[in-house]
Amino acid sequence: MFITFEGGEGSGKTTVASLVFERLKNENYDIILTREPGGVKIAEQIRNIILDKENTSLDDRSEALLFAASRRQHLVEKVWPALKENKIVLCDRYIDSSLAYQGGGKHLGVEEVLNVNLFATENTLPDLTILFDLEPKVGLERINKNKNREVNRLDLESLKFYDDVRNTFLDLSKRYKERYVVIDASKPLDEVVLEAYTIIKNKLDGLY
Ligand code: TMP
């Protein structure tokens, strides 16, 4: 079972992922929590190039290709072996982030970015994707409150960019209805955690 969490900046998905992961682990599910690049050295090196604030000349298509390369390395070294061992893999961001950020936000086109990513992943799509939907303005206010967080190159985008990202995620949720569930991430954290946990439990129990 391959489960991905997606959403814009400040949607809380990373916090929710770790809380839901702990709860499922305590219930003895054989589950790993990862995120791209997920502690895979080569993938991390690629990510550093992408997020480096100094790399202002990084071309948008190069960026999309680097994300796809990093994604593949993470699959090869971590996700595929875990899935092969029948583990549940909970991954913070995956292919849909590229479709939304590079395809929608950077206007490279969802289909083009999808093609590159299907090549990179050999058509590995998640069984379940939870989208933590939030108005970008609210999300950005949340992360700006957290002064300890390091600003990366992609944080420097405009609000219009984040609106495009959000709308692309919402379009994807309609396109891939069979694997998508959307959560309103403006709700209190405990409610969002319970909702995400319940969705995953139902999926694991084969309820949908
Ligand atoms: P993070 O919020 O999970 O730390 O991700 C770092 C940034 O990278 C975030 O702004 C989203 C962006 N991103 C993309 O633009 N495309 C991708 O494919 C992925 C995985 C992340």
Side-chain angles (χ1 to χ4, degrees), residues 78-113:
K78 198 159 181 184
V79 177
W80 282 337
L83 291 175
K84 218 174 236 166
E85 289 169 21
N86 275 328
K87 290 184 197 299
I88 303 161
V89 176
L90 180 55
C91 189
D92 185 355
R93 291 199 189 281
Y94 185 61
I95 208 164
D96 299 287
S97 280
S98 282
L99 302 182
Y101 282 80
Q102 283 66 53
K106 296 272 172 87
H107 301 292
L108 292 179
V110 169
E111 297 313 313
E112 283 81 350
V113 178

Side-chain angles (χ1 to χ4, degrees), residues 9 35-36 47 67 71 93 97-98 101-102 154:
E9 319 301 300
R35 61 162 216 162
E36 296 179 346
R47 183 186 170 104
F67 270 119
R71 177 160 301 130
R93 291 199 189 281
S97 280
S98 282
Y101 282 80
Q102 283 66 53
L154 297 174

Side-chain angles (χ1 to χ4, degrees), residues 14-15 19 27-28 34 45 51 61 73 77 87 93 101 126 128 130 144 150 162 172 176 183 187 189 194:
T14 305
T15 309
L19 292 170
E27 290 176 20
N28 288 326
T34 188
Q45 288 170 338
L51 296 182
R61 283 179 187 242
Q73 200 61 33
E77 290 193 54
K87 290 184 197 299
R93 291 199 189 281
Y101 282 80
L128 171 67
I130 301 182
N144 286 337
E150 213 180 298
Y162 290 110
L172 290 168
Y176 293 111
I183 293 183
K187 290 187 200 166
L189 180 68
L194 182 62

